[in-house]
Structure formats: C-alpha cells, structure tokens
Amino acid sequence: MRFYYRHSRGVTEVVVGKGLPYGDYAERAVVLIEEGLENPLPGAPALVLKGGEGVKSLDALTQVYKFLYEVGADRSTTLVAVGGGALLDLATFAAGTFMRGIRLVQVPTTLLSMVDAALGGKGAVDWGHVKNLVGVFYQPSAILCDLRWVETLPERVYRSAFAEVVKYGVALDGEFYNWLRENVPRLLRREEEALEQAVYRSLRIKASVVEADEFEERGIRNVLNVGHTVGHAVERVLGLLHGEAVAVGIVAEAYLSAEMGYLKDGVVEEIKALISSFGLPTAVKPGDSELEEARRLLLYDKKRRGDYIYMPLVVRVGRWVLERVRPEEAAKALRYVVY
Ligand SMILES: NC(=O)c1ccc[n+]([C@@H]2O[C@H](COP(=O)([O-])OP(=O)(O)OC[C@H]3O[C@@H](n4cnc5c(N)ncnc54)[C@H](O)[C@@H]3O)[C@@H](O)[C@H]2O)c1
Ligand SMILES: O=C(O)C(=O)C[C@@H](O)[C@H](O)[C@H](O)COP(=O)(O)O
Ligand SMILES: [Zn+2]
C-alpha cells in the first residue's frame, strides 16, 4: 500500500507492506539504527545507538552530528533512520538541523512508530522529565513501514501502539473506532491483514491532519495530542511506555470532557473498555511526590499559551473541540486516573 502527503518541503512517500525495497532509497545513504536490529542497508556507513526513550537526549544528538561530520555527509546525503519512535524523533531532529537540513527516510520498527511517530515531522529530545522540550518540525522524504519488524516486538511494546491508534478513532473517525472494537482479537494476534489496515488507516488519518496544519499553529493538529496533556505529565515520572501513558491520558481527558458537559458517561466507559481490551492501563498509582511532579510537568505542555492549555477534548466519538483549560483544571483530570 502506498500514498503521499504534501507539506512545506514538498511531498512524502508512505509505503506500508512486508519486505520493502530498501535499496531504492540507498543512494548516498547513511544509516542511524538501533542496537539489535538488522541493518537493511548493510553497505552504507552506520551509527548504532541503544534504542528506547533514553536516546532522546542532547548527548545522543551530538553523537549523530559527529557521525554525520565524520562520514562527510552533505546536503545530498540521505539519513535512513531504523528504529522505534524514540530513535526516529532523534533522527528527525538531527536531519532537520545538520547543515540546516538533509534528506531523511524513516524506517519505523515498532508498531507505534509505524502508526504515528514516523509521520508528521515532529522531532525532539527530552529535557529531564519534560517530554520533547527541544526539537523541530521537519518532514521525511519517505516512510517505509515494513510489517516484518513487528514480529520481534515484545508484547508490552506492541500493545502500547494501540493507544495512538484508538486516539485516531476516538477523536477523528467513528467508523475506524468501530472497526477497532470489532478487530481487537485479530490485532492482538498480530494478524497481517488487520495490522496493515490499522497502520494504513492510522497514517492516512494523521497525514490529513498534518497537511491541514503542519506546524500546529491553526488549532487543527492539536487533535493528535489527545491524551497527551495528562499522558506526557505521567509518562517519564512513572516510567511508563509512551503508549501506556497516552492510554491513561485518553481516559483522564475523556472524564474531563464529561465533567465539562461534553462526553456522555456511557461513552467514557466504552472508550475505557476499548483501551483495556488492548491490555493498556487506564489508571496509575503515583506516590505523593510523583503526583506533585506530574502536576508541575503540565506547565511545560507545548499547547500552553500563557495561563491556558489549549486541550483537544473529545466531545463524542469522532468529534473533538479545542478547549482553553487552566493547568490546575487539567491537573484535576489526573484524579480520575489515580488509584
Ligand atoms: N514524532 C511523533 O509524531 C511521535 C508520535 C508518537 C510517539 N512519538 C515518540 O515515540 C516514542 C515512543 O516510540 P515507541 O513506542 O516506538 O518506543 P521506543 O522507540 O522507546 O521503542 C520501544 C522499545 O522497542 C525496541 N524495539 C524497536 N524496534 C524493535 C523491534 N523491531 N523488535 C524488538 N524491539 C524493538 C526499542 O529498542 C525499545 O526498547 C516516544 O518518545 C514518543 O514521544 C513521537
Ligand atoms: O504528531 C503530532 O502532532 C502528535 O501530537 C503525535 C503524538 O502522538 C506524539 O506523541 C508527539 O510527539 C507529541 O507531540 P508534542 O508536541 O506533545 O511533543
Ligand atoms: Zn504520542
């Protein structure tokens, strides 16, 4: 399956399938790849880094710059990034800043990076517990989603992706939401046809939002941040995988929407049940200091403008609004998911 999306730097090719032609993207390529993964372009110079959230650091960014400098990369070079969402975020930041921008091809190797991180151009590193504090918007030239990589994913990592997939259905596409509810068992069994559908539909939904508001300045792309106001506040404090934190965030923010008179209680419980059916958490048990730190982290949400956080709230399945919420109100959403 293939499609293209348009943006400020041109057009990005998106391919979803099994056993992709990596060699077609090898011209003047250098590779940034996660430790433990098989390099799809073995003839190209490569930098190997340990994957996972810790790679989103200024130290790792400097290592990538040093690698690009030492291999003589220039503006005709293509950086091919092979890894999970954390490594792809680092690669986007590096490619978007080295010589003020070199070509980037994303090869996502987790389901979450396939359905979300690889597309849309958000690159960043973390700053202590603050997620994605420093980064860029920089679009890749191509995104190669090869479902073969999914075969080796640990169960917890695999399931974490479904928070982002459910996000698309809950906030933007009721028909996809219903498809998900009907196909949980096939997706948990990693059935290829169901997986290809979930990845392709997720990416089409995300691409249409990015085309409408690439730099998140028109109040449209905020929707892709559903669940992330609370999610980012708890993710690093509680050592959750990103998808797990977003799952908790989607539930917390659904309750907040209901409290504001939008979502019906029955729908909140239905969304919570879908998230649970993917084996994802819907509540957390922080200590007092962790809860305090989570409240503090809300202030570093990039959707905040002055005294308000501009939160995307689901008002009914497939529909959302942008709501001005004071950080202390957003913090109240935490109480719905703390036990
Ligand atoms: N830029 C965006 O639009 C965007 C969107 C969603 C998430 N993200 C970011 O992505 C990160 C989460 O991404 P993730 O869920 O892929 O987590 P991750 O990158 O931390 O990877 C999870 C684990 O899986 C391992 N792994 C990767 N590929 C594997 C494979 N094929 N087989 C076995 N193990 C493999 C990694 O080494 C790591 O230990 C977060 O930092 C989040 O902020 C960014
Ligand atoms: O692409 C987007 O826009 C998103 O918000 C996608 C999110 O799933 C992703 O986690 C993103 O990195 C969060 O962005 P941030 O701006 O909150 O750091
Ligand atoms: Zn996310």
Side-chain angles (χ1 to χ4, degrees), residues 116 122 132 164 167 206 221 225 228 232 242 302:
D116 198 343
K122 279 191 175 180
N132 306 333
E164 306 279 21
K167 170 188 78 177
K206 179 166 186 180
R221 185 166 180 170
N225 227 240
H228 285 65
H232 276 170
H242 179 69
K302 296 181 288 297

Side-chain angles (χ1 to χ4, degrees), residues 1 16-18 111 147 150 158 176 179 182-183 186-201:
M1 292 173 145
V16 181
K18 213 162 188 180
L111 183 58
L147 298 176
V150 168
Y158 175 76
F176 185 41
W179 180 86
E182 290 154 15
N183 286 277
R186 295 178 66 210
L187 290 166
L188 289 182
R189 284 196 299 269
R190 308 195 191 193
E191 275 188 28
E192 186 177 331
E193 196 276 326
L195 265 183
E196 194 169 36
Q197 275 290 325
V199 171
Y200 183 76
R201 292 178 74 167

